[in-house]
Amino acid sequence: MPAEIELPEIQGNVLCGYALPVTRYCHFRFDEPLGARAFVAAVTREVTTAEDKRPDGGHWSTSKPESTVNLAFTFRGLAALGLDRPTLAGFPQAFRVGMRVRAPVLVDRGTSAPEQWEPIWLSGEVHACVTLYGSDTVGLETRAAWLEACRQKAGGVTMLQAQDAGALVVDGQLTLKEHFGFTDGFGNPEVAGAGCPSRPGRGKIMPGGKWAPIATGEFVLGYRNENGEVAVTPEPSQLYRNGTYMVYRKLHENVASFREYVQREGARYPGGPDHLAAKMVGRWQDGTPLELSPDKPDPALGADEQRHNDFVYGGDPTGARCPMGAHIRRANPRDAQGFGGILTNPHRIMRRGVPYGAWTPASQAGDDAADHGIIFVAYNADIENQFEFVQQQWMNYGNDFGLGNDKDPMIGSHLDDDLHVIGADGRNPLHICRNLPQFVVTRGGEYFFVPSRTALRLLSDSLASAPRIVAELATEQPVSAFDHLFAQLEALAKRLPKGIGVPLEHEFEKIHDAVARFAEHVQQEALHADPEPLFAILRRIKPIVHVGNFAIVTRYADCEDVMAHDDVFAQPYAAKFEQLTGGTNFFLGMANTPQYTHDVAAMRMVVRREDIADRIVPFVRRTAEQLVAASKGRLEVVSGLTAAVPTALVGDYFGTPNPPGGTFAAQSAEMSGYLFLPKGGSADASVAAAQSMRAVLSQQIATRKASRGAHDDVLERLLVLQDAKQPGITDAWILDQLFSFVVAAIPTTSAATSRAIDELMRRPDQLAGAQVAARAGDTALVGKYVFEAMRFSPLGAGVFRITTAEYTIGAGTMHATTVPAGTTVLVSLLSAMFDSERIDHPNSFRIDRPDWSYMNFGFGIHTCFGQYINAVQMPLIAQAILKTRNLRRAPGDAGKLQFNGPFPSSLTLEFDP
């Protein structure tokens, strides 16, 4: 598979067919853009992709799902969604003007002329097609009911038509036949990187009789085609990449005319009616190709996927076996035009047609007026060069086959004097079929754009939907401190023009003060409030806000982008660290320098992963359970548990026992606020706390150097490294490491665990589940509840970084933003964890999320050093209180989580001792 192909982005059925037996094509009109976008967003969440798998793990190409969903838009539909004019102008002309205007190119004339089409295709009202496939009618109707519910909930969308289709039932059996009686669906190309089973004859012929897949770019935008080129698409490129174009045509089949003509003309042809029909199509009715079995059908060959396409026409230059004008030879000339097939390969299409209407038994003559035919669906990256070329040049003109103006006998647009020439084949002489009737009649159709998954999200995520989003988010009264910004954002959203483009920067200048205050507010005074509703608005309206020398990044991928480029986005903590330590830094505040590498490597030698199971887990469990038991049914959780346990742990494990009076927790909270928040805490108070703590730790180092070997903890291991003359392991360096770990470990662990417990107490159902896990001793499951609760109530809105050079955040997206050097950037990890582009159902509390869903411990080189310790410490602390009986909040304010500045200060819970 080509390394670059992105199967999860490409809609399903494009590269590999579903082959499910029942289908419904649902055609919609968008009456207003807000409802349309809400509808598109709902459908997008269920869209089947080229890599979708069933819950049992089977791939859909081998293990069929109950139903599938795919979504495509007409040009008018994209305009109705609010796509701006410059973007719309970038689509190719054939797609822009539509199939009705292109009817002369397609040779749709006479009974196939547009004025004869069904009214729906003349109105210009078809804006979208949702294609549903089902494993049976029950699965299809269940999915259709879901689709209707999406439409009703969104509002502003009208269903114009539901066109049913499906595999024909012949003699009580599901078949692959179409209404003329021929088994269909043989000739679709194999595409590079599609992941479909490889079968000879499906791709392009290579030297030595081998076959190779057709280039991906012939069917999917953004990849190289058979000419080695990537089709040029206008900006924004992500709207086009991994997309394709769908041709939809309703083709009526005149079954009675076909059967009557074959019987009448077959009486003149020595081979008889069945052989005549095969000479018109190029295959016998069971699928046996004439090129491999010209005299009779071979059922074994017709059913063999490894053989029934493995042929070329180069050895049959006169059409003795398969006539030059036979339908399948016109549709795919293979090597018949010379040059090894390179003239044919760029004109291939991917057919996904499905019959509609009931089968007419072979014993009956049939009725041309009956409603039956094929819903012809084809995918291609270039409508003009692929579908239109095949339809016009190969189906309706015969020059490429030396046949003049003769047309395809089956689907050509016939005039009274049209011919089909059947060459002499050794048994039968030359035969000319005259006065071919019109066997296939066009009843309508349209060109659709089939976007990638990312593009679907973009189409449903534009500025035009902002007012409705704001209204939905404001269903609950926001925290009073945010009211003014809510109003400003809502007013701004209503003023912005419709389209996927981002608003002009000066529009956000009007609210930049409020946005800046908001960012500062959520990082400091209002950490206990919920800023997510505002972040949700920003993710939709302006994912990256840049005003002056300040920026906010709200989407998951962009947060990853910033956190991964530590060479550009520097830590802002160094100066404050140096202020507290008297001139030295800690690796949490360093860039990726040799000193950083040295310090991290040294600390990883002494803070060992194997300690977690052998030492940390038993200590934390024992300590937490003792504290809960000693509380006798009423526990102030913050000071009595969530701060007490990590304080005890750093004393026992790091070798830094808390001095009498328990001052480390209060001192570390003061310093953490000062270090990690732009204006958090007092400089004077923090410096005083640092001097006091460092004096205690310095004395501890001296005491332990005089009494070696009595402990196995981090301090002892550092002294062992010092004894071994490890470079840089001085007393001053050891002091800085111990000091920094105490400052970072106690308040953050306490705050995060307290907030998680409080969040669970707000959710009775989740609390009950967490308590069941706690009482069963299932710490891993408790951890899932704790970390999901932390997602809803994280330690802070995000982290700050400062740019050292100009950088474009979100490069390649429609919200790409270039920020200059010296810009302060709030990387909202909270917002990232609610980004629906990466997090499934982000507003639901779910314990089955993968670990990458959480950014609670950061990302990149400055991911929390102690994340593996906290991954077990926090659940164990919570487990100790969760396993109690009749757990409840204490009455009054005591039972509410209280804050002292940015950190929780108290939360009293009661339980039955």
Side-chain angles (χ1 to χ4, degrees):
M1 177 185 298
E4 76 276 8
I5 195 166
E6 297 166 326
L7 292 177
E9 283 291 313
I10 301 167
Q11 288 203 47
N13 211 36
V14 174
L15 300 178
C16 295
Y18 294 141
L20 293 172
V22 288
T23 310
R24 182 169 296 166
Y25 302 95
C26 303
H27 303 299
F28 295 92
R29 180 185 69 226
F30 296 150
D31 300 318
E32 56 92 9
L34 301 186
R37 291 179 184 280
F39 175 73
V40 171
V43 175
T44 296
R45 286 190 284 270
E46 294 293 317
V47 159
T48 309
T49 74
E51 201 179 51
D52 278 345
K53 296 182 179 181
R54 291 183 57 184
D56 63 7
H59 195 281
W60 56 254
S61 65
T62 56
S63 184
K64 305 299 183 186
E66 291 299 315
S67 62
T68 63
V69 179
N70 292 104
L71 176 58
F73 305 95
T74 65
F75 180 75
R76 288 185 178 88
L78 294 174
L81 284 172
L83 211 57
D84 55 56
R85 288 186 179 182
T87 303
L88 289 169
F91 284 93
Q93 181 186 18
F95 173 69
R96 294 200 311 270
V97 301
M99 187 179 291
R100 181 164 61 93
V101 174
R102 302 289 286 181
V105 176
L106 301 175
V107 200
D108 280 333
R109 61 190 180 186
T111 56
S112 290
E115 52 266 28
Q116 305 296 327
W117 289 5
E118 293 178 352
I120 186 177
W121 303 111
L122 301 177
S123 67
E125 292 186 336
V126 177
H127 291 156
C129 176
V130 178
T131 304
L132 308 177
Y133 278 81
S135 59
D136 52 33
T137 55
V138 174
L140 184 69
E141 293 300 338
T142 299
R143 181 59 78 176
W146 161 84
L147 182 63
E148 174 60 14
C150 291
R151 187 193 68 81
Q152 292 186 10
K153 182 177 180 180
V157 178
T158 299
M159 178 181 278
L160 300 175
Q161 183 188 75
Q163 174 67 62
D164 282 335
L168 291 183
V169 177
V170 179
D171 297 331
Q173 300 293 321
L174 284 172
T175 70
L176 296 178
K177 289 185 178 297
E178 48 74 54
H179 287 284
F180 292 146
F182 288 86
T183 302
D184 197 13
F186 289 100
N188 277 320
E190 179 185 346
V191 184
C196 300
S198 179
R199 289 164 288 187
R202 295 275 180 159
K204 57 189 175 185
I205 189 67
M206 302 296 287
K210 301 294 184 181
W211 295 91
I214 302 293
T216 312
E218 293 295 327
F219 304 97
V220 185
L221 297 170
Y223 300 89
R224 295 193 182 278
N225 60 23
E226 282 295 318
N227 295 323
E229 302 170 340
V230 177
V232 177
T233 55
E235 293 298 328
S237 60
Q238 66 271 27
L239 181 63
Y240 300 88
R241 181 173 173 81
N242 292 308
T244 189
Y245 294 98
M246 180 178 83
V247 177
Y248 178 98
R249 282 165 71 81
K250 185 173 183 179
L251 302 179
H252 172 78
E253 290 181 299
N254 286 323
V255 174
S257 292
F258 177 75
R259 290 183 178 179
E260 189 278 330
Y261 184 84
V262 167
Q263 289 300 318
R264 173 166 50 83
E265 190 67 26
R268 297 178 51 241
Y269 181 61
D274 289 346
H275 203 180
L276 175 75
K279 291 285 188 176
M280 294 168 69
V281 173
R283 289 184 185 271
W284 297 90
Q285 285 202 348
D286 68 351
T288 303
L290 288 178
E291 198 61 37
L292 296 180
S293 182
D295 298 324
K296 62 180 180 179
D298 181 346
L301 173 60
D304 189 343
E305 293 186 346
Q306 297 300 313
R307 291 193 296 151
H308 62 207
N309 270 309
D310 191 7
F311 60 87
V312 292
Y313 298 116
D316 185 20
T318 63
R321 288 192 294 275
C322 181
M324 302 291 290
H327 173 68
I328 70 167
R329 187 159 180 166
R330 284 178 177 265
N332 178 16
R334 304 187 183 224
D335 65 337
Q337 296 180 344
F339 302 100
I342 62 174
L343 299 180
T344 299
N345 299 333
H347 302 299
R348 302 295 299 280
I349 59 175
M350 186 69 73
R351 295 181 301 111
R352 297 284 183 247
V354 183
Y356 70 90
W359 164 256
T360 302
S363 60
Q364 300 177 15
D367 181 1
D368 285 352
D371 187 26
H372 50 211
I374 288 181
I375 301 300
F376 174 89
V377 172
Y379 296 105
N380 44 205
D382 187 333
I383 295 172
E384 292 185 63
N385 191 52
Q386 291 172 275
F387 168 70
E388 289 190 343
F389 180 93
V390 172
Q391 179 69 16
Q392 182 191 69
Q393 298 297 319
W394 288 350
M395 296 298 164
N396 281 292
Y397 295 109
N399 290 337
D400 287 350
F401 309 96
L403 299 174
N405 288 329
D406 286 356
K407 300 168 184 64
D408 183 289
M410 301 300 297
I411 70 170
S413 180
H414 297 306
L415 299 174
D416 290 341
D417 57 352
D418 283 339
L419 308 175
H420 175 55
V421 178
I422 302 175
D425 60 12
R427 290 190 178 185
N428 303 303
L430 174 74
H431 184 87
I432 298 177
C433 298
R434 301 179 184 274
N435 301 318
L436 290 163
Q438 190 65 46
F439 297 131
V440 176
V441 179
T442 306
R443 291 282 173 83
E446 190 52 282
Y447 294 144
F448 291 84
F449 178 58
V450 185
S452 68
R453 230 166 112 186
T454 290
L456 284 171
R457 288 167 175 162
L458 293 172
L459 289 167
S460 65
D461 191 25
S462 82
L463 305 174
S465 61
R468 169 172 291 192
I469 296 162
V470 172
E472 290 174 352
L473 292 170
T475 52
E476 296 183 5
Q477 184 67 21
V479 179
S480 60
F482 299 151
D483 283 350
H484 182 57
L485 183 54
F486 254 112
Q488 287 182 297
L489 285 171
E490 183 174 12
L492 173 65
K494 290 177 179 177
R495 291 199 307 272
L496 292 172
K498 298 174 183 177
I500 285 189
V502 296
L504 298 175
E505 197 67 33
H506 74 266
E507 291 283 358
F508 262 85
E509 289 289 347
K510 298 173 184 177
I511 61 165
H512 76 278
D513 289 339
V515 173
R517 287 196 306 274
F518 161 63
E520 184 175 338
H521 193 61
V522 297
Q523 275 296 103
Q524 298 171 60
E525 295 87 353
L527 279 175
H528 54 289
D530 180 14
E532 163 50 24
L534 289 179
F535 280 129
I537 296 171
L538 293 179
R539 283 197 302 272
R540 294 290 184 97
I541 300 177
K542 183 73 169 174
I544 302 171
V545 177
H546 176 222
V547 211
N549 66 346
F550 183 77
I552 306 175
V553 180
T554 62
R555 289 192 178 175
Y556 193 108
D558 299 328
C559 289
E560 278 187 325
D561 186 17
V562 172
M563 298 290 280
H565 287 86
D566 54 277
D567 55 329
V568 176
F569 296 92
Q571 296 277 4
Y573 314 129
K576 290 184 177 180
F577 267 123
E578 292 170 2
Q579 189 177 8
L580 297 184
T581 61
T584 56
N585 197 359
F586 175 56
F587 61 75
L588 188 59
M590 294 180 185
N592 193 4
T593 61
Q595 184 64 48
Y596 171 89
T597 303
H598 168 272
D599 291 0
V600 171
M603 290 307 296
R604 292 206 184 282
M605 293 176 66
V606 297
V607 180
R608 303 166 185 165
R609 291 280 291 275
E610 58 265 29
D611 293 335
I612 294 174
D614 298 339
R615 178 166 182 175
I616 293 173
V617 167
F619 180 87
V620 172
R621 177 183 286 117
R622 181 175 63 253
T623 304
E625 291 179 351
Q626 288 174 349
L627 289 169
V628 172
S631 69
K632 299 180 179 179
R634 183 179 173 92
L635 177 63
E636 196 291 286
V637 170
V638 180
S639 61
L641 181 65
T642 64
V645 174
T647 301
L649 179 64
V650 297
D652 179 80
Y653 181 63
F654 282 89
T656 55
N658 199 17
T663 58
F664 274 3
Q667 289 175 337
S668 60
E670 179 71 37
M671 289 184 280
S672 284
Y674 177 66
L675 282 169
F676 302 123
L677 302 181
K679 298 179 181 178
S682 162
D684 291 343
S686 295
V687 169
Q691 291 174 345
S692 174
M693 181 181 287
R694 287 172 67 84
V696 172
L697 295 175
S698 183
Q699 180 59 51
Q700 174 70 358
I701 293 170
T703 300
R704 291 287 297 276
K705 290 187 76 170
S707 177
R708 299 294 305 284
H711 303 82
D712 178 22
D713 51 28
V714 171
L715 175 52
E716 179 67 20
R717 295 169 183 175
L718 288 171
L719 294 175
V720 170
L721 292 179
Q722 187 183 64
D723 293 343
K725 308 300 182 184
Q726 184 78 16
I729 312 297
T730 64
D731 286 358
W733 183 88
I734 294 174
L735 172 60
D736 287 342
Q737 307 313 304
L738 296 179
F739 168 72
S740 299
F741 271 101
V742 173
V743 170
I746 297 174
T748 53
T749 303
S750 175
T753 311
S754 299
R755 293 179 72 104
I757 293 171
D758 178 67
E759 184 68 25
L760 288 172
M761 295 299 295
R762 296 181 195 174
R763 299 172 176 270
D765 292 344
Q766 286 74 31
L767 175 63
Q771 288 196 280
V772 169
R775 290 166 188 159
D778 191 342
T779 307
L781 183 55
V782 172
K784 292 182 180 295
Y785 281 99
V786 167
F787 294 121
E788 179 69 353
M790 280 179 62
R791 191 173 66 85
F792 283 91
S793 183
L795 185 57
V799 296
F800 284 93
R801 294 292 186 265
I802 298 176
T803 56
T804 60
E806 182 181 278
Y807 188 83
T808 299
I809 307 172
T813 70
M814 282 185 273
H815 59 268
T817 303
T818 300
V819 294
T823 302
T824 298
V825 180
L826 170 60
V827 188
S828 180
L829 305 181
L830 180 155
S831 179
M833 291 189 290
F834 281 84
D835 182 358
S836 61
E837 290 198 4
R838 292 291 293 275
I839 308 299
D840 287 338
H841 305 290
N843 294 316
S844 299
F845 192 108
R846 292 173 51 176
I847 59 172
D848 60 346
R849 300 188 185 278
D851 291 343
W852 59 259
S853 301
Y854 303 106
M855 284 191 167
N856 292 313
F857 295 122
F859 184 86
I861 69 165
H862 290 112
T863 299
C864 176
F865 184 91
Q867 64 172 316
Y868 299 109
I869 295 176
N870 277 330
V872 296
Q873 180 180 205
M874 291 172 57
L876 285 168
I877 295 172
Q879 181 173 303
I881 186 71
L882 290 172
K883 69 195 300 185
T884 61
R885 302 288 176 180
N886 192 22
L887 182 64
R888 59 198 182 273
R889 294 182 187 271
D893 289 343
K896 301 176 183 178
L897 187 64
Q898 306 291 327
F899 287 82
N900 180 14
F903 295 107
S905 57
S906 68
L907 169 65
T908 301
L909 300 181
E910 297 179 349
F911 54 91
D912 295 345

